[in-house]
């Protein structure tokens, strides 16, 4: 790429990045102050007609999906890509630089440097130094330069890429979001107990979306704490394909069911005024479930009996118990109270039944397919990793120049780090002390 | 002794800590230094015990959850992380005057939690949406970030005050502001603290997104709280870039540290009260 191209320079600049980030931060506020995705009437009512019209023109009611907000995100992405293209090659070169070819006079001028002398021969000393460095995890290479012997060791060269991992992670997250937008959907369904559905409704368009399989809600229930607060909302779901049961799972909030990439989340519920009664013959195990209206008895064909709810107590919309009437034409009918969600054994002449009763509910399921979510998560992982590398790791380099001067060998040790310079200064000092001490404790 | 007594005591110990650090700063009473540190450490341990006890009490009540689930508990935890962060910095950078600026934040948080009206201080059970391990990860990581930003803001204030003094680049014990660390050092610690906070805020936003996805199938829905956390994140991203690539430092960074923390407070607190949240964290 031509680096002198002004357009390239524009998109590669950090100034643009600061500007874009600033605009994103400021404009993002709008959608937190003005409620999003309301109806036109809502905005007219709350802001007046003129303002509502301006909102429409500027897509304020759905600003995070508006052309201008998405353009800002695109600008940020282009900025990131071009900026990386501009700088990364240089960083890569630095990582793979031949540090043994470094200009020796530069080493003398480094901020961190130290000198000492040894009476050992150059090559012997070099061997010892290499050995001591290795003990500290520094793998040294050496080369003869003019009249000197140069040793070089480094740590964390690759950490220079940390920032690029962070920047790439943002693009990966965007990519995941786009994949989800293109190939996924978000919808919901209010599914009454005992009912089965093969489709759901899209959030935005309310259009029906075919699942490609069927889901049945067998049962919905709420558990309460002693103080009356809800403890759990749960739905027993069954996945069916061609009428065959594939999968059964009890879902609760925070523990959804996933099948073929489509996930069902417990999100709401709706109580009905109907009852759901299940009568089981204890001997044969045959069971029949009936959806009952209040005081509307029904025939149970399997058992050849009749059942009805003749009374009930409710708190608000929630039934607490019900009075059941049951008759199988074998003597007088049975009537009894049953707590909501409970079951009892009813003895009839020659037979025993289990009768379970509950209020009927529909479970509100949020349904989502998002094939991009793993890409987003990978991006998130990259971001954390990259931030950690960028912030807390550094590229540290050490050079040792050995020179023969008369009977002694002089050593110049220099070092540099691209980050956390104070920390490296201490490491360097400690290392220098150790390396220079070698000559005295052996000689 | 129950947890509410321990946490009640904590409020006053942090007030006393604040006073001790202020005295050290204002009267240059350096001799009191170790006493202030020891006292603060003890106060911190008392609060830790209070939090652990509250955790245990929630099990006795049959609810069994970490004390991180409502405004009161989060404010208390916020104070805890601020003190933790401050003690870490005191230990690492061997300077105590920062205490006079940072510890008050912890006291204010505790005082708000203990005395403000309309705050429920009971241990209450978890509604279904909050029953997730991601909640724990989310709250803890966010608050480590927030605490770091609180300390960075304290350092920013300190910087601006020091900047008004004669002895900007040095420390000398003659004048009041002279006892503050040199501007270069304050600037350096501010930056390091913000970097630390930025990493944790990022983790906090991510764990929040994962939680949202496991609870209702959307990792990001642009509700005001999420959006404000992102705005805060942008502010610190701008700050880091301005410093790293454009060489900003000093006063500007000090202001940004303060400004960023205002955004943190708004994200954490203001959003709940000033904006109409569409998000029904509690309702399903
Ligand atoms: C929200 C988006 C962004 C985040 C979270 C982010 C994050 C970071 C981080 C953490 C650093 C390292 C700073 C340090 O070590 O103190 C950094 C450096 C940098 N960023 Fe970004 N960045 C973002 C957007 C951008 C954009 C759009 C550009 C486009 C030009 C950009 C250009 C740079 C440059 C040039 C550096 C310095 C790299 C170096 O020389 O080592 N950043 N960024």
């Amino acid at each position: 790429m031509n680096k002198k191209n002004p357009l390239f320079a524009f998109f590669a600049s950090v100034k643009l990045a600061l500007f874009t980030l600033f605009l994103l931060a400021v404009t993002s506020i709008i959608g937190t102050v003005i409620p999003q995705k309301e109806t036109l009437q809502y905005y007219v009512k709350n802001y007046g007609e003129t303002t509502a019209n301006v909102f429409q023109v500027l897509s304020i009611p759905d600003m995070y999906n508006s052309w201008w907000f998405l353009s800002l995100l695109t600008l940020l992405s282009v900025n990131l890509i071009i900026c990386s293209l501009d700088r990364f090659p240089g960083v890569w070169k630095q990582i793979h630089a031949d540090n043994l070819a470094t200009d020796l006079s530069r080493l003398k001028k480094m901020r961190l440097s130290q000198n000492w002398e040894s009476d050992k021969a150059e090559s012997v000393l070099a061997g010892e130094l290499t050995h001591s460095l290795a003990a500290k995890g520094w793998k040294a290479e050496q080369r003869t330069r003019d009249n000197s012997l140069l040793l070089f060791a480094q740590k964390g060269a690759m950490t220079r890429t940390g920032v690029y991992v962070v920047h790439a992670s943002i693009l990966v997250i965007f990519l995941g979001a786009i994949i989800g937008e293109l190939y996924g959907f978000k919808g919901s369904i209010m599914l009454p107990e005992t009912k089965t559905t093969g489709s759901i409704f899209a959030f935005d368009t309310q259009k029906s979306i075919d699942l490609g399989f069927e889901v049945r809600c067998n049962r919905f229930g709420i558990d309460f704490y002693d103080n009356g607060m809800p403890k759990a909302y749960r739905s027993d779901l069954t996945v069916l394909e061609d009428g065959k049961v594939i999968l059964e799972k009890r879902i609760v909030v925070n523990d959804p069911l996933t099948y073929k990439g489509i996930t069902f989340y417990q999100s709401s519920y709706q109580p009905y005024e109907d009852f759901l009664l299940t009568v089981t013959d204890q001997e044969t195990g045959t069971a029949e479930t009936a959806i009952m209206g209040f005081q509307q008895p029904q025939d149970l064909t399997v058992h050849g009996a009749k059942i009805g709810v003749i009374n009930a107590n409710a708190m608000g919309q929630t039934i607490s118990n019900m009075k059941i009437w049951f008759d199988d034409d074998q003597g007088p009918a049975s009537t009894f109270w049953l707590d909501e969600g409970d079951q009892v054994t009813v003895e009839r002449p020659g037979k025993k039944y289990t009768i379970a009763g509950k209020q009927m509910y529909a479970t509100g399921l949020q349904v989502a397919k998002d094939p991009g979510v793993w890409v987003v998560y990978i991006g998130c992982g990259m971001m954390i990793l990259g931030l950690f590398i960028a912030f807390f790791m550094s590229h540290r380099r050490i050079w040792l120049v050995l020179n023969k001067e008369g009977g002694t060998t002089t050593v110049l040790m220099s070092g540099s780090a691209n980050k956390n310079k104070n920390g490296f200064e201490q490491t360097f000092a400690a290392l220098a002390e150790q390396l220079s001490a070698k000559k005295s404790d052996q000689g | 002794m129950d947890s509410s007594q321990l946490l009640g005591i904590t409020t006053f110990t942090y007030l006393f800590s604040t006073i001790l650090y202020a005295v050290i700063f204002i009267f240059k009473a350096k001799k009191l230094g170790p006493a202030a540190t020891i006292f603060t450490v003890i106060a911190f341990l008392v609060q830790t015990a209070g939090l652990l006890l509250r955790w245990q009490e929630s099990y006795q009540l049959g609810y069994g959850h970490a004390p991180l689930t409502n405004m009161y508990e989060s404010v208390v935890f916020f104070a805890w992380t601020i003190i933790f962060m401050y003690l870490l910095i005191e230990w690492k950078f061997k300077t105590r005057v920062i205490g006079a600026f940072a510890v008050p934040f912890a006291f204010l948080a505790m005082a708000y939690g203990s005395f403000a009206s309309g705050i429920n201080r009971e241990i209450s059970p978890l509604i279904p949406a909050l029953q997730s391990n991601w909640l724990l990860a989310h709250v803890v990581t966010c608050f480590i970030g927030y605490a770091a930003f609180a300390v960075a803001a304290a350092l920013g204030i300190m910087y601006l005050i020091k900047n008004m003094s004669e002895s900007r680049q040095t420390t000398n014990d003659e004048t009041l502001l002279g006892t503050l660390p040199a501007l270069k050092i304050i600037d350096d610690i501010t930056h390091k603290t913000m970097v630390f906070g930025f990493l944790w805020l990022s983790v906090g936003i991510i764990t929040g997104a994962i939680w949202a996805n496991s609870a209702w199938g959307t990792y990001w829905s642009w509700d005001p709280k999420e959006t404000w956390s992102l705005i805060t994140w942008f502010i610190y991203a701008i700050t880091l870039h301005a410093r790293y690539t454009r060489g900003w430092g000093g006063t500007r960074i000090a202001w940004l540290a303060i400004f960023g923390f205002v955004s943190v407070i708004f994200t954490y607190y203001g959003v709940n009260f000033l904006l109409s949240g569409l998000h029904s964290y509690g309702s399903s």
Side-chain angles (χ1 to χ4, degrees), chain A residues 14-15 18 21-22 24-25 28-29 32 36 64 69 167 177 186 225 227 229-233 253-254 256 265 267 366 368 370 373 376-377 380 383-384 387-388 391-392 419, chain B residues 63 125-129 131-132 195-196 198-199 202-203 206 210-211 213-219 222 224 227-228 231 233-234 238 240-242 244-246 275-276 278 284:
Chain A
V14 181
K15 257 191 202 158
L18 294 175
L21 287 172
F22 179 75
L24 279 170
S28 290
I29 297 175
T32 69
Q36 295 289 292
Y64 301 107
F69 195 76
H167 291 155
K186 300 248 149 68
Y225 291 105
N227 70 357
M229 278 173 64
K231 182 177 186 176
Y233 304 108
V253 182
N254 278 309
Y265 300 85
S267 85
Q366 208 129 289
D370 190 346
V373 76
V376 171
Y377 285 176
C380 291
M383 178 179 288
I384 303 304
L387 284 174
F388 187 84
F391 290 155
F392 302 120
K419 297 241 173 80
Chain B
Y63 305 150
L126 284 183
I127 55 164
Q131 295 165 14
S132 165
V195 157
F196 186 78
F198 187 74
L199 176 66
S202 307
V203 180
I206 289 171
I210 298 175
W211 172 31
N213 193 49
S214 71
W216 44 81
T218 331
Y219 49 82
W222 293 106
T227 308
W228 269 97
I231 293 168
W233 191 74
F234 282 146
I238 291 170
L240 296 183
H241 280 88
Y244 193 74
T245 62
R246 307 208 55 80
L275 302 178
S276 62
L278 304 170
S284 67

Side-chain angles (χ1 to χ4, degrees), chain A residues 15 88 95 106 116 125 174 247 262 275 357 384 406 421 425 443:
Chain A
K15 257 191 202 158
F88 192 74
I95 291 170
R106 243 192 69 213
W116 69 85
L125 187 59
F174 284 172
L247 189 66
I262 301 178
F275 298 83
I384 303 304
K421 301 200 160 109
E425 205 170 317

